[in-house]
Amino acid sequence: MDTKGRLIAGSHNRNEFVLINADEVGRVTCVKELSGQICQICGDEIEITVDGEPFVACNECAFPICRPCYEYERREGNQACPQCKTRFKRIKGSPRVDGDEDEDEFDDLDNEFEAMLSSRFNTGHAASNASGFATPSELDLNPEIPLLTYGQEDDGISAEKHALIIPPFMNRAKRIHPMPFSDTASSVSLPPRPMDSKKDLAVYGYGTVAWKDRMEEWRKRQNDKLQMVKHQGDGAADVDDPDLPKMDEGRQPLSRKLPIPSSKISPYRMVILFRLVILGLFFHYRILHPVNDAYALWLTSIICEIWFAVSWIFDQFPKWFPIERETYLDRLSLRYEKEGKPSELAPVDVFVSTVDPLKEPPLITANTVLSILAVDYPVDKVACYVSDDGAAMLTFEALSETSEFARKWVPFCKKFSIEPRAPEWYFAQKVDYLKDKVHPTFVRERRAMKRDYEEFKIRINGLVSMAQKVPEEGWTMQDGTPWPGNNVRDHPGMIQVFLGQNGVRDLEGNELPRLVYVSREKRPGFDHHKKAGAMNALIRVSAVVTNAPYLLNVDCDHYINNSKALRESMCFMMDPTSGKKICYVQFPQRFDGIDRHDRYSNRNVVFFDINMKGLDGIQGPIYVGTGCVFRRRALYGHDAPTKKKPPGKTCNCLPKWCCCCFGSRKKKSKGKTKKSRKMKEASTQIHALENIEGVEGIDSEKTSLMPQIKFEKKFGQSPVFIASTLVEEGGVPRGATSASLLKEAIHVISCGYEDKTEWGKEVGWIYGSVTEDILTGFKMHCHGWRSVYCMPKRPAFKGSAPINLSDRLHQVLRWALGSVEILFSKHCPIWYGYGCGLKPLERFSYINSVVYPLTSIPLVAYCTLPAVCLLTGKFIVPEISNYASILFMLMFLSIAVTSVLEIQWGGVAIDDFWRNEQFWVIGGVSAHLFALFQGLLKVLAGVNTNFTVTSKGGDDGEYAELYLFKWTTLLIPPLTLLIFNIIGVVVGISDAISNGYESWGPLFGRLFFAIWVILHLYPFLKGMMGKQSNVPTILIVWSILLASILSLLWVRVNPFLDRGGIVLEPCGLDCD
C-alpha cells in the first residue's frame, strides 16, 4: 500500500489504521479498504478473530461493524444494530453493560478482564510507565522497525526516542490485529520515552484520531447524502452505496411522548403531597375544635369540607403523570405513501350527526361536511356519513346543495392549500389571506369562489325560509313522491349516496370522497336511544357500504380546522409498535364565536389542557363525544390485544417437591390457563358464516370457532354485516353485489335490528345515559384498550358553543344528568370493571366524572353559610390561635401554589383558570343541583327527562346571543344565593357600624367568606343584567353596595336622633 509520504498510525483498542497528513497536523484521512470488509460506521476495516473469521457484531443481519464501534455502541450508544434494530448481545471478552444481566450465554470473566486490561494499556489510562502509554518493552516488536517522526528528526527528541510506528504484521499484510502480549525473551527492551506536554500529540503519532469525532463526520456525511429509501424493491441501483443511510426515517416511530419537564412537574407533585399533609392537620384541628354556640353551622361546614377534600383527591391524582405528544407526518408519508404506488393509508369513515335543522342550522352542517370532503387525505380513503335523526327534508335538500358546491370547493382547497377548509370560517378570517400564496391566479379564483359561496348561502337560506311553513299534506319531492320523513316519529330508513359513485367528479375531473345521507327507521313503541342509537346505526351502515377500519365522529357544528387531522390520528393508530392497543385518539375541543373574556368558561381549557394531559399519561383521555377517531374493532366490544410474555425462569435450585416454588407455580399456571381461556372466548372475533350468501373471501377455518346463533345474538342478523366484522383491515367482503349491499344497509338501520342483541350493551355506543360518550370510553378502557390525546399546534377541530347563560346552563345540566344516570347504573365505575384492564388512577378519573354532581349539595350549603353567619353574628370557626392562623395560611397558600403550578405546566392563562373556577360554582349551585334531583326522580320514580338539543350559533352578529336573557328555573338557586349574600354583607357592615370598633375584627372573616361567594357568582350577575348602554355591570353592583353602606353610616351618625344624653325640657318662656 502506498502511503504517499504520510504517517501511518495505529491503535490496539480501537483497531484503527489511519494516514495522517504531514502538511496539516491533526487532519486525519481514513485508509480505504485494507481487507475484505469495511465498517459501515467508521469506515475502518473489520478485524479477523482468532478463528480466522471476520468479526460479527449482529447475529441477526450480520451488519458489518468493527469491534471498537460495537464496544462504543454498547457502552455509550443505543445498544442496537443500526440496520435491524436488534439489541447487541455480549460477545465473549466484551465488558458487561446495563441490560446484560439477562444474557447468560457467556460467562467469560477471565477474557473480559484481559480485554479491559489490554484496553487500559493501549489507551493510556492504566499504563505501567509514567507517560501513560505502553512502553515498547511491553510489545512484541520487530527490532528492525525504525523509530520515525514524519520521516525526519525532531530537535526536541533524541534519535532513540522518536515516535513508535507500528505497521501491520508481516504474516498478515492486509489485516489488522490487536497487539498480543508476549513474555518471550526476544522482546525488545527500550527505555521509556518522555513526552513534551506543550507539543501536540500528533507530533508523537498518538491521539490524533478521536473516534467520536470520526463518528460525527460519518453522520454528517450521511446527512449530506441523505436519501430516503424509496422502497423501490430489491432492484434499486444504489442499495449497495456505502454512504446510503442505513436508518431509514420511514421506519422510525410515528409519534413520541414528551414528558413535562421535571423542573415543572416535580415541584407540582411536592406541593400536592404538602397539601395532603396540611389537609390532614387542618381537619385534625377543625374536628377537635367545635363551635359550641353554633354547632349546626360548624357541623355543616365540616361535612362540606370533607366532601370537598375527597372530591379534590379524585380530581387531583389523575393529573400525577401528565404528558404531551408529538407526531411525525413526514414519517407517516414515507411509510405508507410510497412513490409510484397507491397510498397505503387506512380508510376512514367520518360520522356527522344532526337532529333538528332549526336548532342546528343547515349552513353550519354544510360547512362541516365541506371541511370533511376537502380534508388532506386520499379521496378514495374517506367516506362521510351524515345521520339525520330528525328525517328533515331541509337537511336532505341542504346536503344535496352541499354536494354540488363541493365540486367547486374541494379542488380550490387542495390547489391552494387553504386553512381552514370550512368556507364560512375561511372567508370570515381577519388575516392576510395572501400570506404564503404565490400562485398567480389565486386572487382571481378566490374572489370567484367567494361569490359562489355567497350564492350557495342564499340557496341554503332560501331552503330554511321555505321550511318555516310546512304544508298541511307534508313535503313532496321533485317527482311528486311524498317525503318519507313527513312523520318524524314514524318513517322508514333512508339512504342516499350523493358523491363517490355514478362518475360524479369535481370540476377538474378528480374523484371526490363519498358522501352518504342516512336517516334510520323510526316506529312508535321502540326505544331509539337518541344520539347513541343513531351512531350505532351509522356503524352498521358504514360497515356494509365501505367498512373502513377507523371511524371519526364529529358533531354537526364541529368542522375540521386542520386538514391534516386524519393524518395526525393515523400517526398513532397505524404505528406498528404501539398502535394495536389504541382504541381511539381524542382531540381537544376548541370553539369559535366566544367572547374575548369567555364569561361562562365555554372553552373549558382547564379540562382540555390540564386534566386530559394527565389522563394521557395513565391509560388515555376519556371520550368527550366529538373530535375522536375510533378503531372499529374496539367499538365491536373486543378485548385489547395482549402481548405474549416470554416464559419465566424456573427455579432449579430446589427439588420439585419444594412448596415455595413448585406448588405456587402450579397453582398460578392453572389460574392463568383458565383466565386466558376465558379471555380468548370472550374476545373471539371470528365466527361461523354458513348462511351468508353472495359473500366470499371468508376463511373456512375461522367460521368454525363460534356458532352462528351466538354471533347473531351479538351483532344482529345481517350476514353481510357479520362478514364485515371479520375483515380486520376493513373493506367490503369480495363477491357482494351493490344490490345486496343496499338491501343490507336498509336492514341494519331498521328500528328492530338491535332487539335481543348486544348493541348498546357491549357493542357500539353504550346506552343508559344521555352522555353516552363517557360510558363508551369507559367500556373500552375496561376491555384493556388505551386511548391517546392528540394536541396538534393548529387545532384539529373547532365548533360552536352556546354563549348565553341559559343555553350554557342547559348544556351543563345535560352533562351532569348523564353522569347521575351512570352513577346509579350497573356501569358505575365505583363498582364496575374490577379485574379487567382499567388502571386505578384511570378509575379515579371516571369516578370523579360521575360523582361531581353530588358536590352541588355541599356547595349550596357552603355558599349559604356566609350569609347565615353575617345575619346571626356567629361563625363556623372558633377564636383562632396562632397555630390555627398558620394552618389556615398554609392551607390557602398550598391551594394557590397548586393552581399556579398547574397553570404553568398546562399552559393555561390565569384568567381562563379563574373563569373555570367561577363557572364551577355557578354550574354547581344550579345545573348540577337540578341534574341530581332529575336523576333521582328518573331512577327511583321512573320520571323520564327529555333531551334538549343545544342551539348552535347563527348569523345574528358577533356575540349577539351573549347578552340575550332567557328565563329558566336554573337561574333561581344562584340568584337566591347572590341576593342572600349581598343582604348578609349589608347587614354585617351595618351591625359593625352600630356596635363600634370592637366588632370589626370578627366581621372580617365573615365578610371574606361572603365576598368569595359573590365574586364567584359575578359572571352570573352580569348575565342576569344583560347589556347596559355604556354602563359597566361592576359599576352598578358597587354603586348599590356603596349606597347601602353610606345610607347605614348616615343613620349611624345622624345628629337628629336621641343618643341618651341631656334631656331637654320646655322652659315655659314665650320667646316671641
Side-chain angles (χ1 to χ4, degrees):
M1 182 181 65
D2 184 13
T3 62
K4 298 183 180 179
R6 289 172 294 181
L7 182 66
I8 302 173
S11 169
H12 263 323
N13 186 45
R14 300 177 181 176
N15 192 35
E16 293 178 348
F17 192 76
V18 298
L19 298 180
I20 303 177
N21 193 335
D23 298 330
E24 300 179 20
V25 176
R27 179 178 174 184
V28 180
T29 304
C30 296
V31 180
K32 294 184 178 180
E33 183 173 348
L34 297 179
S35 63
Q37 266 189 320
I38 294 296
C39 175
Q40 294 297 309
I41 293 181
C42 65
D44 284 351
E45 68 174 354
I46 295 179
E47 68 174 294
I48 302 299
T49 62
V50 293
D51 299 329
E53 297 295 333
F55 173 77
V56 178
C58 177
N59 294 325
E60 297 293 332
C61 64
F63 185 65
I65 303 177
C66 63
R67 184 150 194 155
C69 295
Y70 161 80
E71 298 286 1
Y72 179 81
E73 285 293 329
R74 277 174 44 84
R75 185 175 64 252
E76 300 184 26
N78 56 12
Q79 301 183 2
C81 174
Q83 178 167 278
C84 66
K85 309 300 182 295
T86 305
R87 189 183 186 279
F88 284 132
K89 293 186 176 181
R90 188 174 71 88
I91 297 176
K92 183 179 293 187
S94 298
R96 289 180 178 270
V97 296
D98 293 339
D100 285 346
E101 288 74 15
D102 297 332
E103 299 178 8
D104 299 326
E105 298 182 22
F106 303 106
D107 191 10
D108 189 25
L109 298 180
D110 295 335
N111 290 341
E112 181 179 336
F113 175 76
E114 290 181 4
M116 294 174 63
L117 185 62
S118 173
S119 173
R120 291 178 181 272
F121 270 119
N122 289 281
T123 55
H125 295 296
S128 58
N129 54 8
S131 65
F133 290 92
T135 60
S137 61
E138 295 171 322
L139 304 176
D140 186 11
L141 302 178
N142 189 337
E144 298 179 358
I145 296 177
L147 300 178
L148 303 176
T149 306
Y150 286 84
Q152 60 184 2
E153 297 286 336
D154 189 279
D155 296 335
I157 306 175
S158 60
E160 68 274 14
K161 298 175 183 177
H162 283 171
L164 177 66
I165 310 304
I166 307 172
F169 278 100
M170 304 305 294
N171 59 344
R172 296 187 183 270
K174 293 186 178 181
R175 235 180 272 165
I176 301 298
H177 294 275
M179 287 289 194
F181 288 95
S182 176
D183 294 330
T184 60
S186 61
S187 298
V188 180
S189 178
L190 296 176
R193 150 178 160 268
M195 298 178 63
D196 189 351
S197 59
K198 297 180 181 180
K199 291 191 175 184
D200 195 295
L201 290 177
V203 175
Y204 300 94
Y206 294 105
T208 58
V209 180
W211 192 90
K212 291 185 179 180
D213 293 341
R214 299 180 61 202
M215 186 67 181
E216 291 300 325
E217 289 182 8
W218 175 81
R219 288 176 178 172
K220 183 179 179 181
R221 185 171 69 250
Q222 294 283 342
N223 291 332
D224 292 340
K225 296 187 177 183
L226 188 59
Q227 307 170 34
M228 295 303 164
V229 177
K230 298 180 180 179
H231 307 282
Q232 296 177 353
D234 297 333
D238 55 348
V239 169
D240 296 329
D241 183 2
D243 291 330
L244 186 67
K246 297 298 181 181
M247 298 184 68
D248 177 16
E249 192 171 354
R251 303 175 187 174
Q252 299 301 306
L254 303 179
S255 64
R256 67 164 178 163
K257 295 180 182 179
L258 299 175
I260 304 298
S262 58
S263 60
K264 295 181 180 180
I265 198 63
S266 296
Y268 176 68
R269 292 170 178 167
M270 292 175 62
V271 170
I272 291 174
L273 298 177
F274 174 74
R275 184 172 170 181
L276 279 175
V277 174
I278 296 300
L279 200 61
L281 297 175
F282 172 81
F283 282 119
H284 180 266
Y285 172 81
R286 292 279 283 125
I287 294 173
L288 296 182
H289 294 78
V291 183
N292 295 323
D293 59 341
Y295 191 82
L297 296 178
W298 170 82
L299 183 61
T300 302
S301 66
I302 286 293
I303 294 174
C304 294
E305 289 165 0
I306 290 176
W307 177 258
F308 292 152
V310 173
S311 178
W312 172 76
I313 289 174
F314 281 123
D315 178 69
Q316 188 65 64
F317 279 93
K319 296 182 281 189
W320 192 262
F321 303 103
I323 63 170
E324 295 177 347
R325 294 183 185 270
E326 185 180 41
T327 57
Y328 301 102
L329 299 180
D330 51 347
R331 294 179 182 177
L332 181 75
S333 297
L334 286 171
R335 183 185 293 269
Y336 294 109
E337 293 182 306
K338 302 167 186 176
E339 186 177 346
K341 293 185 178 180
S343 174
E344 297 178 4
L345 291 172
V348 181
D349 290 340
V350 186
F351 296 167
V352 181
S353 57
T354 182
V355 180
D356 188 351
L358 299 181
K359 291 187 176 181
E360 298 168 329
L363 187 62
I364 291 181
T365 304
N367 273 270
T368 300
V369 172
L370 289 170
S371 68
I372 294 170
L373 297 177
V375 71
D376 183 9
Y377 208 74
V379 292
D380 58 326
K381 306 285 186 178
V382 179
C384 178
Y385 293 83
V386 180
S387 170
D388 178 17
D389 220 30
M393 189 173 182
L394 174 57
T395 304
F396 180 84
E397 293 291 343
L399 208 58
S400 177
E401 291 286 350
T402 304
S403 64
E404 185 63 27
F405 179 71
R407 299 178 62 219
K408 306 175 183 178
W409 175 251
V410 172
F412 172 76
C413 293
K414 296 187 175 181
K415 180 178 181 179
F416 299 109
S417 301
I418 65 169
E419 296 284 358
R421 299 190 176 181
E424 180 68 25
W425 303 107
Y426 170 68
F427 290 119
Q429 289 183 114
K430 297 179 181 179
V431 297
D432 181 14
Y433 64 86
L434 295 178
K435 185 179 180 180
D436 300 328
K437 296 295 185 292
V438 296
H439 204 286
T441 63
F442 172 69
V443 175
R444 183 176 67 255
E445 293 192 28
R446 184 183 185 275
R447 290 173 181 170
M449 184 55 61
K450 187 174 182 179
R451 184 174 60 255
D452 291 339
Y453 176 65
E454 290 173 350
E455 294 175 356
F456 168 73
K457 287 179 65 175
I458 293 296
R459 293 194 296 272
I460 296 295
N461 293 335
L463 292 174
V464 174
S465 177
M466 184 177 61
Q468 302 294 329
K469 299 179 181 179
V470 182
E472 294 182 0
E473 65 278 4
W475 298 106
T476 56
M477 304 181 71
Q478 293 180 355
D479 59 355
T481 306
W483 171 246
N486 280 325
N487 189 343
V488 178
R489 300 178 183 273
D490 187 3
H491 65 83
M494 295 177 282
I495 298 176
Q496 171 71 50
V497 180
F498 286 106
L499 298 176
Q501 69 167 8
N502 299 330
V504 178
R505 296 178 178 269
D506 62 25
L507 296 183
E508 296 183 0
N510 300 317
E511 187 180 355
L512 288 168
R514 186 170 303 206
L515 176 60
V516 184
Y517 170 86
V518 179
S519 182
R520 58 180 174 146
E521 181 186 15
K522 285 190 176 181
R523 301 297 181 190
F526 288 91
D527 188 357
H528 301 290
H529 302 289
K530 303 186 175 80
K531 180 181 176 180
M535 300 307 297
N536 285 338
L538 285 184
I539 291 179
R540 297 191 295 271
V541 73
S542 64
V544 172
V545 177
T546 52
N547 195 31
Y550 302 105
L551 313 172
L552 169 62
N553 148 239
V554 293
D555 288 341
C556 67
D557 63 317
H558 272 72
Y559 65 90
I560 297 181
N561 183 64
N562 184 349
S563 62
K564 298 185 182 297
L566 294 182
R567 294 178 179 269
E568 295 277 356
S569 62
M570 290 302 110
C571 286
F572 300 103
M573 288 294 195
M574 299 186 69
D575 192 293
T577 57
S578 59
K580 296 296 183 181
K581 293 196 66 175
I582 297 176
C583 57
Y584 60 81
V585 177
Q586 179 66 62
F587 292 88
Q589 291 186 16
R590 302 294 189 230
F591 299 98
D592 286 314
I594 299 177
D595 62 303
R596 181 168 57 91
H597 299 290
D598 192 14
R599 181 185 297 178
Y600 308 124
S601 189
N602 277 292
R603 294 190 180 94
N604 210 1
V605 292
V606 173
F607 174 75
F608 285 112
D609 291 4
I610 294 179
N611 294 62
M612 297 287 266
K613 287 181 182 178
L615 291 177
D616 199 17
I618 306 171
Q619 197 176 350
I622 64 175
Y623 168 44
V624 296
T626 183
C628 187
V629 177
F630 287 94
R631 185 182 301 274
R632 187 183 286 269
R633 287 168 44 78
L635 282 170
Y636 287 160
H638 299 313
D639 290 336
T642 55
K643 293 183 179 179
K644 294 183 179 179
K645 295 183 178 180
K649 296 181 180 179
T650 57
C651 178
N652 297 325
C653 58
L654 296 174
K656 293 183 178 181
W657 46 263
C658 173
C659 60
C660 60
C661 297
F662 177 73
S664 61
R665 195 162 60 241
K666 186 175 181 180
K667 291 180 181 178
K668 285 183 180 180
S669 63
K670 287 184 178 180
K672 287 183 179 179
T673 303
K674 291 181 179 179
K675 185 178 180 181
S676 61
R677 186 180 303 165
K678 185 177 180 181
M679 290 179 62
K680 185 175 181 180
E681 291 176 358
S683 62
T684 302
Q685 311 154 24
I686 306 161
H687 313 279
L689 304 173
E690 296 88 353
N691 298 330
I692 298 180
E693 298 178 359
V695 179
E696 301 175 359
I698 305 301
D699 190 352
S700 60
E701 296 181 0
K702 296 180 179 180
T703 61
S704 61
L705 296 181
M706 180 180 288
Q708 176 75 13
I709 187 171
K710 190 173 182 180
F711 204 146
E712 291 179 350
K713 284 183 178 180
K714 182 175 183 179
F715 293 112
Q717 298 183 353
S718 170
V720 175
F721 177 75
I722 291 175
S724 70
T725 61
L726 302 180
V727 187
E728 295 184 5
E729 300 301 325
V732 180
R734 296 191 305 272
T737 62
S738 58
S740 63
L741 293 181
L742 183 60
K743 178 182 177 181
E744 289 299 324
I746 295 295
H747 177 205
V748 297
I749 60 173
S750 60
C751 55
Y753 182 83
E754 296 179 355
D755 290 348
K756 298 180 181 180
T757 66
E758 294 186 8
W759 284 100
K761 302 172 185 175
E762 297 293 334
V763 180
W765 269 258
I766 306 302
Y767 303 150
S769 171
V770 295
T771 52
E772 69 291 331
D773 44 8
I774 296 179
L775 263 182
T776 304
F778 175 64
K779 291 282 286 186
M780 290 184 185
H781 284 140
C782 286
H783 281 286
W785 296 92
R786 73 153 293 125
S787 55
V788 165
Y789 194 53
C790 181
M791 294 183 63
K793 293 182 179 179
R794 180 179 180 86
F797 303 92
K798 280 191 175 183
S800 303
I803 61 175
N804 72 71
L805 179 60
S806 300
D807 286 346
R808 175 70 167 137
L809 288 177
H810 275 106
Q811 184 186 55
V812 175
L813 171 66
R814 180 167 58 86
W815 294 343
L817 178 59
S819 296
V820 174
E821 291 173 343
I822 298 173
L823 178 63
F824 295 107
S825 70
K826 70 173 184 178
H827 292 124
C828 178
I830 299 176
W831 51 73
Y832 181 85
Y834 287 94
C836 61
L838 190 65
K839 296 185 178 180
L841 287 181
E842 191 79 10
R843 183 180 298 277
F844 267 40
S845 174
Y846 276 109
I847 292 175
N848 182 57
S849 66
V850 300
V851 302
Y852 75 89
L854 299 179
T855 309
S856 59
I857 294 179
L859 187 60
V860 170
Y862 213 66
C863 290
T864 308
L865 286 176
V868 175
C869 292
L870 286 168
L871 293 174
T872 60
K874 302 182 184 298
F875 200 41
I876 59 176
V877 179
E879 292 186 5
I880 300 177
S881 61
N882 292 335
Y883 170 75
S885 301
I886 296 174
L887 203 59
F888 277 80
M889 290 175 62
L890 289 176
M891 188 67 193
F892 287 118
L893 182 64
S894 65
I895 294 174
V897 173
T898 304
S899 302
V900 170
L901 292 176
E902 278 190 358
I903 290 172
Q904 185 181 23
W905 65 255
V908 176
I910 189 169
D911 55 340
D912 289 327
F913 194 89
W914 172 239
R915 289 283 182 253
N916 182 81
E917 293 295 316
Q918 286 180 314
F919 199 79
W920 175 76
V921 176
I922 296 171
V925 299
S926 58
H928 297 174
L929 184 65
F930 277 76
L932 182 60
F933 288 118
Q934 287 185 15
L936 290 174
L937 286 174
K938 183 176 181 180
V939 173
L940 300 179
V943 179
N944 203 353
T945 55
N946 292 326
F947 167 72
T948 303
V949 179
T950 306
S951 298
K952 305 301 187 293
D955 298 326
D956 301 328
E958 190 175 21
Y959 313 141
E961 289 192 2
L962 179 63
Y963 310 106
L964 185 63
F965 179 76
K966 300 178 182 178
W967 174 255
T968 172
T969 53
L970 295 176
L971 302 176
I972 296 177
L975 182 61
T976 304
L977 287 173
L978 188 62
I979 296 174
F980 197 28
N981 279 275
I982 291 176
I983 293 175
V985 169
V986 173
V987 171
I989 293 177
S990 63
D991 184 67
I993 293 173
S994 301
N995 294 331
Y997 176 77
E998 293 80 6
S999 62
W1000 283 96
L1003 178 65
F1004 282 132
R1006 304 185 190 103
L1007 278 179
F1008 174 79
F1009 205 4
I1011 291 175
W1012 177 88
V1013 176
I1014 294 173
L1015 288 177
H1016 278 78
L1017 294 176
Y1018 173 68
F1020 171 81
L1021 183 61
K1022 290 192 69 173
M1024 287 289 297
M1025 299 187 68
K1027 183 179 182 180
Q1028 294 79 33
S1029 56
N1030 302 323
V1031 182
T1033 306
I1034 188 67
L1035 182 61
I1036 296 176
V1037 175
W1038 282 109
S1039 298
I1040 296 172
L1041 284 174
L1042 289 175
S1044 303
I1045 294 171
L1046 291 174
S1047 300
L1048 293 169
L1049 185 61
W1050 172 255
V1051 171
R1052 172 63 180 166
V1053 300
N1054 192 348
F1056 298 102
L1057 294 178
D1058 183 12
R1059 299 300 179 186
I1062 300 174
V1063 179
L1064 300 177
E1065 296 180 355
C1067 60
L1069 297 176
D1070 187 2
C1071 297
D1072 296 334

